Amino acid sequence: MAELVIPSLLETLYMVFFSTIFSLLIGFPLGILLVITDKDNICERPLFNKILGSIINVLRSFPFIILMILLFPLSRLLIGKTIGTTATIVPLSIAAAPFVARIIEGSLREVNKGVIESSLAMGATVSQIIKKVLIPESLPSIILGITLTIINIIGYSAMAGAIGGGGLGDLAIRYGYYGFQTDVMIVAVLLIVILVQGVQFLGNYISLKINKK
């Protein structure tokens, strides 16, 4: 069984790692924009904020499987194919990016407005407030948000296995469900549970350590 499970586990780790990186690269700046362009904030742009918020809401409304199918042409354009672990990184990243944006928005909104106003009074620029006030002050919450994102991506990657995404989800469906190998399905599910628990534990630990500082 190891010859089936180990490659699938590595595929899942590969998909989750790169999808997390790309979703953060897309979603993190969007989350910052949602906060700073909101009403009464440091770079107020109400119309832009509403349009951006609407686009993010629409993207978040798509069920992942449907979004993955809709993004087949983009995966083919970027990767050259629509199925497989590398191709699945494209829809995984795009599906998780709006989620990341809302997570980051929520974390940044927890920062005390008095701290931001004090920084403005001392002549800090918008970029300085983002880098030296908003992000550092909300870092423990951001870490927990990223933890939640990774867990969501693990779940998405398992769903992607239903349509040729590879990884543990594909293993559970192809060998466990269609191949009637119940033991393979159980091992695949257990590994997914262990991955989620490990990520949650690590995220909680890092967030707690940062909070203590």
Side-chain angles (χ1 to χ4, degrees):
M1 190 189 295
E3 67 274 12
L4 291 175
V5 172
I6 292 174
S8 296
L9 175 62
L10 293 177
E11 285 176 1
T12 293
L13 294 175
Y14 168 73
M15 283 190 290
V16 171
F17 177 78
F18 283 103
S19 300
T20 302
I21 297 293
F22 291 130
S23 64
L24 285 175
L25 287 175
I26 300 168
F28 206 104
L30 293 179
I32 293 173
L33 282 173
L34 280 172
V35 173
I36 65 172
T37 60
D38 200 7
K39 191 179 178 186
D40 297 328
N41 223 305
I42 55 177
C43 193
E44 186 177 332
R45 299 285 188 281
L47 180 61
F48 174 83
N49 187 277
K50 279 187 179 178
I51 293 171
L52 181 60
S54 299
I55 293 170
I56 287 171
N57 287 341
V58 168
L59 287 174
R60 284 192 67 192
S61 303
F62 280 91
F64 174 67
I65 291 290
I66 303 296
L67 184 65
M68 188 173 174
I69 293 168
L70 289 175
L71 290 174
F72 273 170
L74 182 61
S75 298
R76 185 179 288 112
L77 180 69
L78 295 175
I79 310 296
K81 52 187 177 181
T82 57
I83 60 172
T85 51
T86 302
T88 304
I89 290 172
V90 175
L92 279 176
S93 303
I94 293 175
F99 182 77
V100 171
R102 289 300 185 192
I103 288 283
I104 298 301
E105 180 196 13
S107 298
L108 297 183
R109 286 193 189 282
E110 293 174 7
V111 177
N112 191 325
K113 282 201 169 183
V115 180
I116 299 171
E117 287 166 4
S118 300
S119 303
L120 281 172
M122 287 188 287
T125 62
V126 172
S127 63
Q128 285 173 330
I129 291 174
I130 293 169
K131 291 176 188 171
K132 297 182 179 178
V133 178
L134 286 174
I135 294 176
E137 288 287 326
S138 58
L139 199 53
S141 177
I142 289 175
I143 295 295
L144 289 176
I146 293 172
T147 302
L148 193 57
T149 301
I150 296 172
I151 290 171
N152 267 357
I153 291 176
I154 291 172
Y156 287 159
S157 73
M159 278 191 273
I163 47 177
L168 291 169
D170 178 55
L171 180 73
I173 293 166
R174 195 148 46 97
Y175 289 89
Y177 182 67
Y178 292 117
F180 301 104
Q181 291 181 256
T182 308
D183 54 339
V184 174
M185 181 182 280
I186 290 172
V187 170
V189 171
L190 280 176
L191 283 173
I192 291 170
V193 171
I194 290 168
L195 276 179
V196 169
Q197 294 298 320
V199 169
Q200 187 66 64
F201 174 80
L202 188 62
N204 289 346
Y205 177 78
I206 295 172
S207 177
L208 193 63
K209 293 293 281 184
I210 292 172
N211 252 333
K212 283 182 178 176
K213 288 176 182 175

